[in-house]
Amino acid sequence: MKPIKKITVPKLTSYKKKHRKLVIATAYDATFATLIDQSGVDAILVGDSLGMVIQGHENTIPVTVDDIVYHCRAVARGTQRAHIVGDMPFTANKMSSDKTLEDAARIIQKGHAESVKLEGGAEMAKTISRIVTSGIPVMGHVGMTPQSVHAFGGFKTQGKSAEAQKKIFDDAVAVAEAGAYAVVLEGIPSELAEEITHTVSIPTIGIGAGMHCDGQVLVCYDLLGMYETFRPKFVKQYAQLGMLTKKAVSNFADEVRNGQFPGEEHSTFLEK
Ligand code: KIV
């Protein structure tokens, strides 16, 4: 059997010239990481969305570097091919650039991620450049950056006014010029994402940013349809695992209660 080849940062960045779309899904544990890796995505993001989908918080702000390291380690154990991106959580991003560099190094060294993702635009350019110079590849993230949920007054599409569009455009350019190898464009109008995609030389990864980006990312729980009622416009559900899970567990409960499970085939007996 041929050894499985890891997808590297140079490979990911080469896709833009080849007009090949880049596909990223999130994962937070080894089981999902294995399934998602085997499905052929290019990269797995251990996102700070884990604060909401794993920990049950209302937003991503409570997530710590320790949480990211813990989940990255689990994902790394389940991943053979896809590139692994570890998210820099709120506490890592909003501190001094020394602390941010230290946290990025921990996510790579202890979490076994292969690059880090960092929210913020022009104001993070110096920090991005410092992390990149130290040998850690950085994916930027601009637009509706969830760690700024309080400043935005909710998870709302950004870039509605001409002034806001210019700021997001300048942020994406600053992140690219600082040395990021790709940039996530979240929750912005499709036309703005298209303009950024044509301007920067690095791949743009959209989430709620329309069809013109160089790639797309979705939270795995969203694309798998784990939530029956939460369905933002930018999410497409490719399965209804939420409904299937409830059905399967309720079948299990019924069979235990009516004595159908476990049957002889699920039991061991003393040898006669
Ligand atoms: O935390 C996350 O999962 C993310 C993606 C949604 C881009 O930042």
mmCIF file of all heavy atoms in Angstrom, residues 7-43:
data_model
loop_
_atom_site.group_PDB
_atom_site.id
_atom_site.type_symbol
_atom_site.label_atom_id
_atom_site.label_comp_id
_atom_site.label_asym_id
_atom_site.label_seq_id
_atom_site.Cartn_x
_atom_site.Cartn_y
_atom_site.Cartn_z
ATOM 1 N N ILE A 7 -1.152 16.744 3.151
ATOM 2 C CA ILE A 7 -1.342 17.992 2.411
ATOM 3 C C ILE A 7 -0.626 19.111 3.163
ATOM 4 O O ILE A 7 -0.863 19.315 4.357
ATOM 5 C CB ILE A 7 -2.834 18.306 2.221
ATOM 6 C CG1 ILE A 7 -3.453 17.172 1.390
ATOM 7 C CG2 ILE A 7 -3.028 19.662 1.559
ATOM 8 C CD1 ILE A 7 -4.806 17.425 0.857
ATOM 9 N N THR A 8 0.259 19.790 2.462
ATOM 10 C CA THR A 8 1.105 20.808 3.088
ATOM 11 C C THR A 8 0.611 22.215 2.747
ATOM 12 O O THR A 8 -0.223 22.396 1.845
ATOM 13 C CB THR A 8 2.546 20.676 2.562
ATOM 14 O OG1 THR A 8 2.487 20.872 1.132
ATOM 15 C CG2 THR A 8 3.140 19.309 2.859
ATOM 16 N N VAL A 9 1.171 23.202 3.423
ATOM 17 C CA VAL A 9 0.816 24.593 3.118
ATOM 18 C C VAL A 9 1.162 24.952 1.656
ATOM 19 O O VAL A 9 0.308 25.508 0.949
ATOM 20 C CB VAL A 9 1.489 25.558 4.140
ATOM 21 C CG1 VAL A 9 1.442 26.996 3.652
ATOM 22 C CG2 VAL A 9 0.793 25.428 5.491
ATOM 23 N N PRO A 10 2.377 24.631 1.147
ATOM 24 C CA PRO A 10 2.651 24.946 -0.267
ATOM 25 C C PRO A 10 1.645 24.297 -1.218
ATOM 26 O O PRO A 10 1.258 24.887 -2.232
ATOM 27 C CB PRO A 10 4.067 24.390 -0.492
ATOM 28 C CG PRO A 10 4.686 24.370 0.868
ATOM 29 C CD PRO A 10 3.578 24.093 1.841
ATOM 30 N N LYS A 11 1.199 23.095 -0.890
ATOM 31 C CA LYS A 11 0.208 22.415 -1.734
ATOM 32 C C LYS A 11 -1.105 23.223 -1.718
ATOM 33 O O LYS A 11 -1.721 23.465 -2.762
ATOM 34 C CB LYS A 11 -0.015 21.000 -1.185
ATOM 35 C CG LYS A 11 -1.034 20.190 -1.912
ATOM 36 C CD LYS A 11 -0.361 19.101 -2.688
ATOM 37 C CE LYS A 11 -1.334 18.405 -3.597
ATOM 38 N NZ LYS A 11 -0.705 17.787 -4.705
ATOM 39 N N LEU A 12 -1.531 23.636 -0.519
ATOM 40 C CA LEU A 12 -2.786 24.386 -0.400
ATOM 41 C C LEU A 12 -2.717 25.699 -1.183
ATOM 42 O O LEU A 12 -3.670 26.079 -1.867
ATOM 43 C CB LEU A 12 -3.094 24.702 1.075
ATOM 44 C CG LEU A 12 -3.445 23.512 1.977
ATOM 45 C CD1 LEU A 12 -3.573 23.953 3.423
ATOM 46 C CD2 LEU A 12 -4.740 22.840 1.525
ATOM 47 N N THR A 13 -1.576 26.386 -1.072
ATOM 48 C CA THR A 13 -1.480 27.687 -1.755
ATOM 49 C C THR A 13 -1.380 27.516 -3.272
ATOM 50 O O THR A 13 -1.756 28.408 -4.021
ATOM 51 C CB THR A 13 -0.286 28.519 -1.229
ATOM 52 O OG1 THR A 13 0.886 27.733 -1.338
ATOM 53 C CG2 THR A 13 -0.488 28.917 0.218
ATOM 54 N N SER A 14 -0.898 26.345 -3.709
ATOM 55 C CA SER A 14 -0.762 26.115 -5.164
ATOM 56 C C SER A 14 -2.131 25.984 -5.843
ATOM 57 O O SER A 14 -2.263 26.144 -7.050
ATOM 58 C CB SER A 14 0.078 24.863 -5.436
ATOM 59 O OG SER A 14 -0.693 23.694 -5.157
ATOM 60 N N TYR A 15 -3.161 25.682 -5.052
ATOM 61 C CA TYR A 15 -4.492 25.463 -5.642
ATOM 62 C C TYR A 15 -5.023 26.711 -6.350
ATOM 63 O O TYR A 15 -5.750 26.618 -7.321
ATOM 64 C CB TYR A 15 -5.516 25.067 -4.564
ATOM 65 C CG TYR A 15 -5.366 23.670 -4.010
ATOM 66 C CD1 TYR A 15 -4.335 22.831 -4.394
ATOM 67 C CD2 TYR A 15 -6.285 23.187 -3.079
ATOM 68 C CE1 TYR A 15 -4.215 21.557 -3.861
ATOM 69 C CE2 TYR A 15 -6.172 21.910 -2.549
ATOM 70 C CZ TYR A 15 -5.134 21.098 -2.949
ATOM 71 O OH TYR A 15 -5.013 19.845 -2.423
ATOM 72 N N LYS A 16 -4.680 27.891 -5.803
ATOM 73 C CA LYS A 16 -5.259 29.131 -6.366
ATOM 74 C C LYS A 16 -4.874 29.291 -7.837
ATOM 75 O O LYS A 16 -5.726 29.578 -8.670
ATOM 76 C CB LYS A 16 -4.825 30.340 -5.545
ATOM 77 C CG LYS A 16 -5.430 31.652 -6.046
ATOM 78 C CD LYS A 16 -5.515 32.696 -4.967
ATOM 79 C CE LYS A 16 -6.119 33.973 -5.524
ATOM 80 N NZ LYS A 16 -6.850 34.728 -4.509
ATOM 81 N N LYS A 17 -3.591 29.076 -8.139
ATOM 82 C CA LYS A 17 -3.121 29.218 -9.533
ATOM 83 C C LYS A 17 -3.768 28.185 -10.439
ATOM 84 O O LYS A 17 -4.005 28.407 -11.616
ATOM 85 C CB LYS A 17 -1.598 29.044 -9.583
ATOM 86 C CG LYS A 17 -0.870 30.339 -9.373
ATOM 87 C CD LYS A 17 0.569 30.248 -9.892
ATOM 88 C CE LYS A 17 1.374 31.409 -9.329
ATOM 89 N NZ LYS A 17 2.475 30.979 -8.479
ATOM 90 N N LYS A 18 -4.041 27.008 -9.844
ATOM 91 C CA LYS A 18 -4.621 25.909 -10.644
ATOM 92 C C LYS A 18 -6.142 26.006 -10.720
ATOM 93 O O LYS A 18 -6.787 25.107 -11.273
ATOM 94 C CB LYS A 18 -4.237 24.565 -10.017
ATOM 95 C CG LYS A 18 -2.751 24.291 -10.058
ATOM 96 C CD LYS A 18 -2.454 22.966 -9.348
ATOM 97 C CE LYS A 18 -0.966 22.749 -9.184
ATOM 98 N NZ LYS A 18 -0.636 21.852 -8.085
ATOM 99 N N HIS A 19 -6.706 27.054 -10.111
ATOM 100 C CA HIS A 19 -8.174 27.233 -10.056
ATOM 101 C C HIS A 19 -8.854 26.001 -9.461
ATOM 102 O O HIS A 19 -9.924 25.598 -9.906
ATOM 103 C CB HIS A 19 -8.760 27.558 -11.439
ATOM 104 C CG HIS A 19 -8.150 28.779 -12.029
ATOM 105 N ND1 HIS A 19 -8.423 30.047 -11.574
ATOM 106 C CD2 HIS A 19 -7.242 28.927 -13.018
ATOM 107 C CE1 HIS A 19 -7.712 30.919 -12.256
ATOM 108 N NE2 HIS A 19 -6.984 30.270 -13.138
ATOM 109 N N ARG A 20 -8.162 25.402 -8.477
ATOM 110 C CA ARG A 20 -8.765 24.264 -7.792
ATOM 111 C C ARG A 20 -9.313 24.744 -6.454
ATOM 112 O O ARG A 20 -8.590 25.380 -5.680
ATOM 113 C CB ARG A 20 -7.689 23.185 -7.588
ATOM 114 C CG ARG A 20 -8.223 22.009 -6.847
ATOM 115 C CD ARG A 20 -7.200 20.933 -6.648
ATOM 116 N NE ARG A 20 -7.689 20.079 -5.576
ATOM 117 C CZ ARG A 20 -7.175 18.930 -5.265
ATOM 118 N NH1 ARG A 20 -6.152 18.461 -5.934
ATOM 119 N NH2 ARG A 20 -7.667 18.220 -4.290
ATOM 120 N N LYS A 21 -10.587 24.482 -6.198
ATOM 121 C CA LYS A 21 -11.219 24.964 -4.953
ATOM 122 C C LYS A 21 -10.674 24.202 -3.749
ATOM 123 O O LYS A 21 -10.485 22.973 -3.817
ATOM 124 C CB LYS A 21 -12.734 24.766 -5.025
ATOM 125 C CG LYS A 21 -13.405 25.651 -6.060
ATOM 126 C CD LYS A 21 -13.822 26.984 -5.494
ATOM 127 C CE LYS A 21 -14.632 27.755 -6.529
ATOM 128 N NZ LYS A 21 -14.960 29.122 -6.086
ATOM 129 N N LEU A 22 -10.475 24.934 -2.681
ATOM 130 C CA LEU A 22 -9.944 24.365 -1.445
ATOM 131 C C LEU A 22 -11.116 24.047 -0.490
ATOM 132 O O LEU A 22 -12.018 24.865 -0.345
ATOM 133 C CB LEU A 22 -9.114 25.483 -0.849
ATOM 134 C CG LEU A 22 -7.759 25.225 -0.276
ATOM 135 C CD1 LEU A 22 -6.864 26.390 -0.581
ATOM 136 C CD2 LEU A 22 -7.927 25.060 1.186
ATOM 137 N N VAL A 23 -11.092 22.874 0.092
ATOM 138 C CA VAL A 23 -12.229 22.460 0.942
ATOM 139 C C VAL A 23 -11.749 22.209 2.379
ATOM 140 O O VAL A 23 -10.823 21.422 2.605
ATOM 141 C CB VAL A 23 -12.880 21.158 0.403
ATOM 142 C CG1 VAL A 23 -14.086 20.778 1.253
ATOM 143 C CG2 VAL A 23 -13.278 21.332 -1.049
ATOM 144 N N ILE A 24 -12.415 22.879 3.312
ATOM 145 C CA ILE A 24 -12.048 22.735 4.724
ATOM 146 C C ILE A 24 -13.307 22.454 5.534
ATOM 147 O O ILE A 24 -14.354 23.059 5.299
ATOM 148 C CB ILE A 24 -11.369 24.020 5.270
ATOM 149 C CG1 ILE A 24 -10.186 24.432 4.370
ATOM 150 C CG2 ILE A 24 -10.919 23.833 6.715
ATOM 151 C CD1 ILE A 24 -9.443 25.677 4.840
ATOM 152 N N ALA A 25 -13.210 21.509 6.454
ATOM 153 C CA ALA A 25 -14.302 21.269 7.409
ATOM 154 C C ALA A 25 -13.687 21.281 8.802
ATOM 155 O O ALA A 25 -12.505 20.977 8.972
ATOM 156 C CB ALA A 25 -14.981 19.933 7.133
ATOM 157 N N THR A 26 -14.500 21.627 9.786
ATOM 158 C CA THR A 26 -13.984 21.582 11.158
ATOM 159 C C THR A 26 -14.112 20.158 11.699
ATOM 160 O O THR A 26 -14.931 19.368 11.219
ATOM 161 C CB THR A 26 -14.762 22.524 12.105
ATOM 162 O OG1 THR A 26 -16.095 22.024 12.264
ATOM 163 C CG2 THR A 26 -14.782 23.955 11.602
ATOM 164 N N ALA A 27 -13.286 19.854 12.692
ATOM 165 C CA ALA A 27 -13.439 18.617 13.478
ATOM 166 C C ALA A 27 -12.826 18.900 14.839
ATOM 167 O O ALA A 27 -11.977 19.800 14.969
ATOM 168 C CB ALA A 27 -12.746 17.436 12.807
ATOM 169 N N TYR A 28 -13.267 18.146 15.831
ATOM 170 C CA TYR A 28 -12.815 18.421 17.200
ATOM 171 C C TYR A 28 -12.387 17.155 17.929
ATOM 172 O O TYR A 28 -11.942 17.220 19.069
ATOM 173 C CB TYR A 28 -13.940 19.113 17.988
ATOM 174 C CG TYR A 28 -14.639 20.197 17.181
ATOM 175 C CD1 TYR A 28 -15.832 19.939 16.489
ATOM 176 C CD2 TYR A 28 -14.074 21.457 17.069
ATOM 177 C CE1 TYR A 28 -16.444 20.916 15.724
ATOM 178 C CE2 TYR A 28 -14.681 22.448 16.300
ATOM 179 C CZ TYR A 28 -15.874 22.171 15.636
ATOM 180 O OH TYR A 28 -16.468 23.135 14.877
ATOM 181 N N ASP A 29 -12.592 15.992 17.301
ATOM 182 C CA ASP A 29 -12.226 14.738 17.958
ATOM 183 C C ASP A 29 -11.706 13.750 16.914
ATOM 184 O O ASP A 29 -11.832 13.976 15.710
ATOM 185 C CB ASP A 29 -13.419 14.145 18.737
ATOM 186 C CG ASP A 29 -14.575 13.756 17.830
ATOM 187 O OD1 ASP A 29 -14.371 12.948 16.913
ATOM 188 O OD2 ASP A 29 -15.696 14.264 18.026
ATOM 189 N N ALA A 30 -11.119 12.658 17.419
ATOM 190 C CA ALA A 30 -10.439 11.710 16.522
ATOM 191 C C ALA A 30 -11.413 10.990 15.587
ATOM 192 O O ALA A 30 -11.094 10.748 14.416
ATOM 193 C CB ALA A 30 -9.658 10.695 17.354
ATOM 194 N N THR A 31 -12.601 10.648 16.094
ATOM 195 C CA THR A 31 -13.552 9.888 15.272
ATOM 196 C C THR A 31 -14.023 10.711 14.076
ATOM 197 O O THR A 31 -13.967 10.253 12.920
ATOM 198 C CB THR A 31 -14.763 9.448 16.128
ATOM 199 O OG1 THR A 31 -14.270 8.647 17.195
ATOM 200 C CG2 THR A 31 -15.767 8.653 15.321
ATOM 201 N N PHE A 32 -14.478 11.932 14.341
ATOM 202 C CA PHE A 32 -14.909 12.790 13.232
ATOM 203 C C PHE A 32 -13.729 13.136 12.325
ATOM 204 O O PHE A 32 -13.872 13.204 11.105
ATOM 205 C CB PHE A 32 -15.580 14.060 13.748
ATOM 206 C CG PHE A 32 -17.073 13.934 13.873
ATOM 207 C CD1 PHE A 32 -17.685 13.895 15.104
ATOM 208 C CD2 PHE A 32 -17.869 13.833 12.742
ATOM 209 C CE1 PHE A 32 -19.063 13.758 15.222
ATOM 210 C CE2 PHE A 32 -19.255 13.694 12.845
ATOM 211 C CZ PHE A 32 -19.849 13.664 14.083
ATOM 212 N N ALA A 33 -12.552 13.361 12.926
ATOM 213 C CA ALA A 33 -11.378 13.704 12.115
ATOM 214 C C ALA A 33 -11.074 12.591 11.120
ATOM 215 O O ALA A 33 -10.817 12.840 9.939
ATOM 216 C CB ALA A 33 -10.175 13.968 13.011
ATOM 217 N N THR A 34 -11.151 11.326 11.574
ATOM 218 C CA THR A 34 -10.874 10.200 10.681
ATOM 219 C C THR A 34 -11.876 10.176 9.529
ATOM 220 O O THR A 34 -11.495 10.035 8.355
ATOM 221 C CB THR A 34 -10.945 8.870 11.467
ATOM 222 O OG1 THR A 34 -10.010 8.944 12.528
ATOM 223 C CG2 THR A 34 -10.629 7.677 10.585
ATOM 224 N N LEU A 35 -13.159 10.335 9.855
ATOM 225 C CA LEU A 35 -14.200 10.287 8.819
ATOM 226 C C LEU A 35 -14.037 11.444 7.829
ATOM 227 O O LEU A 35 -14.133 11.268 6.611
ATOM 228 C CB LEU A 35 -15.591 10.344 9.461
ATOM 229 C CG LEU A 35 -15.968 9.144 10.341
ATOM 230 C CD1 LEU A 35 -17.252 9.411 11.099
ATOM 231 C CD2 LEU A 35 -16.094 7.887 9.487
ATOM 232 N N ILE A 36 -13.784 12.618 8.370
ATOM 233 C CA ILE A 36 -13.669 13.810 7.516
ATOM 234 C C ILE A 36 -12.396 13.731 6.683
ATOM 235 O O ILE A 36 -12.389 14.066 5.498
ATOM 236 C CB ILE A 36 -13.747 15.084 8.391
ATOM 237 C CG1 ILE A 36 -15.187 15.224 8.918
ATOM 238 C CG2 ILE A 36 -13.330 16.323 7.619
ATOM 239 C CD1 ILE A 36 -15.379 16.273 9.981
ATOM 240 N N ASP A 37 -11.318 13.238 7.270
ATOM 241 C CA ASP A 37 -10.057 13.067 6.527
ATOM 242 C C ASP A 37 -10.266 12.097 5.376
ATOM 243 O O ASP A 37 -9.861 12.358 4.236
ATOM 244 C CB ASP A 37 -8.992 12.538 7.494
ATOM 245 C CG ASP A 37 -7.606 12.503 6.876
ATOM 246 O OD1 ASP A 37 -7.279 13.433 6.115
ATOM 247 O OD2 ASP A 37 -6.842 11.556 7.159
ATOM 248 N N GLN A 38 -10.942 10.990 5.664
ATOM 249 C CA GLN A 38 -11.153 9.970 4.624
ATOM 250 C C GLN A 38 -12.132 10.448 3.555
ATOM 251 O O GLN A 38 -12.213 9.870 2.474
ATOM 252 C CB GLN A 38 -11.620 8.656 5.256
ATOM 253 C CG GLN A 38 -10.489 8.000 6.052
ATOM 254 C CD GLN A 38 -10.918 6.758 6.829
ATOM 255 O OE1 GLN A 38 -12.092 6.392 6.820
ATOM 256 N NE2 GLN A 38 -9.974 6.130 7.488
ATOM 257 N N SER A 39 -12.895 11.503 3.853
ATOM 258 C CA SER A 39 -13.835 12.012 2.840
ATOM 259 C C SER A 39 -13.109 12.875 1.813
ATOM 260 O O SER A 39 -13.702 13.292 0.821
ATOM 261 C CB SER A 39 -14.961 12.794 3.510
ATOM 262 O OG SER A 39 -14.439 14.016 3.977
ATOM 263 N N GLY A 40 -11.825 13.197 2.065
ATOM 264 C CA GLY A 40 -11.025 13.856 1.037
ATOM 265 C C GLY A 40 -10.944 15.372 1.121
ATOM 266 O O GLY A 40 -10.585 16.023 0.141
ATOM 267 N N VAL A 41 -11.260 15.970 2.295
ATOM 268 C CA VAL A 41 -11.097 17.420 2.415
ATOM 269 C C VAL A 41 -9.603 17.756 2.356
ATOM 270 O O VAL A 41 -8.751 16.890 2.573
ATOM 271 C CB VAL A 41 -11.697 17.973 3.733
ATOM 272 C CG1 VAL A 41 -13.194 17.722 3.812
ATOM 273 C CG2 VAL A 41 -10.974 17.399 4.949
ATOM 274 N N ASP A 42 -9.302 19.019 2.075
ATOM 275 C CA ASP A 42 -7.900 19.436 2.003
ATOM 276 C C ASP A 42 -7.334 19.763 3.383
ATOM 277 O O ASP A 42 -6.160 19.539 3.641
ATOM 278 C CB ASP A 42 -7.772 20.668 1.095
ATOM 279 C CG ASP A 42 -8.286 20.363 -0.307
ATOM 280 O OD1 ASP A 42 -7.745 19.421 -0.924
ATOM 281 O OD2 ASP A 42 -9.233 21.022 -0.758
ATOM 282 N N ALA A 43 -8.187 20.329 4.223
ATOM 283 C CA ALA A 43 -7.712 20.699 5.564
ATOM 284 C C ALA A 43 -8.832 20.520 6.578
ATOM 285 O O ALA A 43 -10.015 20.591 6.241
ATOM 286 C CB ALA A 43 -7.224 22.145 5.580
#
